[in-house]
Amino acid sequence: MRIGMLTGGGDCPGLNAVIRAVVRKGEGHYQHEVVGYRHGWRGLIEGESMPLSLESTRGLLPRGGTILGTSRTNPYKSDDGPARVKATLARDGVDAVIAIGGEDTLGVAHRLAGDGVQVVGVPKTIDNDLSATDFTFGFHTAVQIATDAIDRLHTTAESHDRVMVVEVMGRHAGWIATYSGLAGGADMILVPETPFDIDEICTRIKRRHERGANFSIVVVAEGAVPIAGTMELQTGTVDDFGHVRLGGIGNRLQAEIEERTGYEARMTQLGHLLRGGTPSAYDRVIATRFGIEAIDAANDREFDVMVALRGTDVIRVPLESGVAQLKTVDQRLFDTAAVFFG
Ligand code: F6P
């Protein structure tokens, strides 16, 4: 077989580990040929590819980012997009595509499957917001980076008697905020799942300080929203998939907290730091297992499926189930973190 592979959407640690695993088993075991498409679906629209081999994918396991490049291109944004994707596949003699991506990339993969393209999906995102899989790779690494940052902010917060606001990515799900806040001992975690009340936050911070604490750590997910009408927020630009660009809530919170409590506050926006660098051991293992399962599925000619982690097993599920619904933070998990709020 000839297998095409692409990485779409925001990059995350572990993408290269999937690429390596697919090539290792695809070429090394099945004797398939693997070709990489550059910058997500854009590579298939524009016909931009690169050969992938055992040789060219050597040493990729610990490397962050993606050697294929990525973009948020949506072929269904233009009338001839899907036809151009199919034309490229026909030109290159590609039998099946392994698409590594999040909700948007896999949503396109599922639509293309409906249009006759043979696709297998691999779920990735630091946001961990894909239903049908317990975890996506990239998430664990992002949580570790955020936790390390929170640990560091604790010591400087303590020295200066400050309230530190830490903004983390995660889009419209609070997984990174909840996990890193729990692991880092945050005094407050704000997530998109529950609109926050700025008055209540300030009351809690004041109460904590009156009880003897001289600093507080507030972790806020970039997608967190205030209760309607309580605080104004800026809105950002939208991408090809209609998603608004998030980021900046931490700044607003820092100003509000400082003004309302009288305590000095500072904001740290972790942003793309959470997506950079080498994947954790855990993410390397899931990414590798996902890559192997994906090439096995393609070899079995089982398409319109994605690989997924369920418990400790890697399984295949219909692609549709992976993109049907946003996976938001489990309330019981959040309640555990909330026991430690100020
Ligand atoms: O989906 C991954 C993610 O990092 C989100 O957490 C964040 O909102 C978004 O991508 C940022 O995208 P970009 O890299 O386009 O700024």
Side-chain angles (χ1 to χ4, degrees), residues 10-11 72 124-127 129 169-171 176 222 239 244-246 271-272 275:
D11 72 337
R72 297 190 190 278
K124 68 87 221 181
T125 167
I126 60 164
D127 305 336
D129 59 355
M169 282 185 167
R171 256 214 215 159
I176 300 176
E222 62 177 359
D239 66 17
V244 69
R245 188 188 288 177
L246 297 168
H272 295 84
R275 290 204 333 228

Side-chain angles (χ1 to χ4, degrees), residues 235-258:
T235 49
T237 50
V238 294
D239 66 17
D240 252 19
F241 290 89
H243 296 299
V244 69
R245 188 188 288 177
L246 297 168
I249 178 97
N251 249 331
R252 291 281 294 116
L253 268 176
Q254 177 230 306
E256 291 281 337
I257 291 172
E258 197 162 81

Side-chain angles (χ1 to χ4, degrees), residues 120-153:
V120 175
V122 177
K124 68 87 221 181
T125 167
I126 60 164
D127 305 336
N128 196 39
D129 59 355
L130 286 177
S131 52
T133 185
D134 289 351
F135 287 105
T136 48
F137 62 87
F139 171 66
H140 183 269
T141 307
V143 167
Q144 190 58 56
I145 296 168
T147 304
D148 290 346
I150 295 168
D151 285 350
R152 287 172 188 278
L153 289 169

Side-chain angles (χ1 to χ4, degrees), residues 55-288:
E55 193 56 44
S56 69
T57 55
R58 198 157 282 149
L60 281 188
L61 182 60
R63 196 160 136 194
T66 161
I67 58 161
L68 294 176
T70 185
S71 76
R72 297 190 190 278
T73 310
N74 180 358
Y76 286 94
K77 267 293 255 194
S78 66
D79 289 343
D80 63 348
R84 289 175 68 178
V85 167
K86 284 164 111 177
T88 302
L89 293 173
R91 179 198 74 180
D92 296 347
V94 167
D95 303 291
V97 177
I98 294 179
I100 312 165
E103 181 201 1
D104 298 329
T105 306
L106 299 181
V108 167
H110 177 56
R111 278 184 83 173
L112 284 169
D115 287 340
V117 177
Q118 311 203 108
V119 210
V120 175
V122 177
K124 68 87 221 181
T125 167
I126 60 164
D127 305 336
N128 196 39
D129 59 355
L130 286 177
S131 52
T133 185
D134 289 351
F135 287 105
T136 48
F137 62 87
F139 171 66
H140 183 269
T141 307
V143 167
Q144 190 58 56
I145 296 168
T147 304
D148 290 346
I150 295 168
D151 285 350
R152 287 172 188 278
L153 289 169
H154 258 108
T155 61
T156 171
E158 200 170 11
S159 307
H160 287 265
D161 296 3
R162 282 175 174 159
V163 176
M164 300 302 243
V165 177
V166 191
E167 182 184 310
V168 296
M169 282 185 167
R171 256 214 215 159
H172 302 293
W175 290 104
I176 300 176
T178 305
Y179 264 73
S180 63
L182 188 49
D187 304 302
M188 193 84 59
I189 303 172
L190 311 181
V191 293
E193 288 82 352
T194 315
F196 63 82
D197 179 347
I198 186 68
D199 280 336
E200 193 202 326
I201 293 168
C202 292
T203 305
R204 278 172 176 266
I205 291 174
K206 277 201 217 151
R207 197 174 59 203
R208 186 180 134 77
H209 288 222
E210 279 157 16
R211 284 180 184 158
N214 71 330
F215 72 94
S216 291
I217 305 279
V218 178
V219 175
V220 58
E222 62 177 359
V225 285
I227 293 174
T230 56
M231 238 174 92
E232 256 179 54
L233 290 184
Q234 288 173 339
T235 49
T237 50
V238 294
D239 66 17
D240 252 19
F241 290 89
H243 296 299
V244 69
R245 188 188 288 177
L246 297 168
I249 178 97
N251 249 331
R252 291 281 294 116
L253 268 176
Q254 177 230 306
E256 291 281 337
I257 291 172
E258 197 162 81
E259 199 184 303
R260 290 171 188 244
T261 64
Y263 303 134
E264 208 180 352
R266 291 287 188 274
M267 194 282 291
T268 304
Q269 187 178 28
L270 294 177
H272 295 84
L273 273 178
L274 302 182
R275 290 204 333 228
T278 187
S280 66
Y282 182 82
D283 280 339
R284 293 181 203 189
V285 173
I286 315 189
T288 300

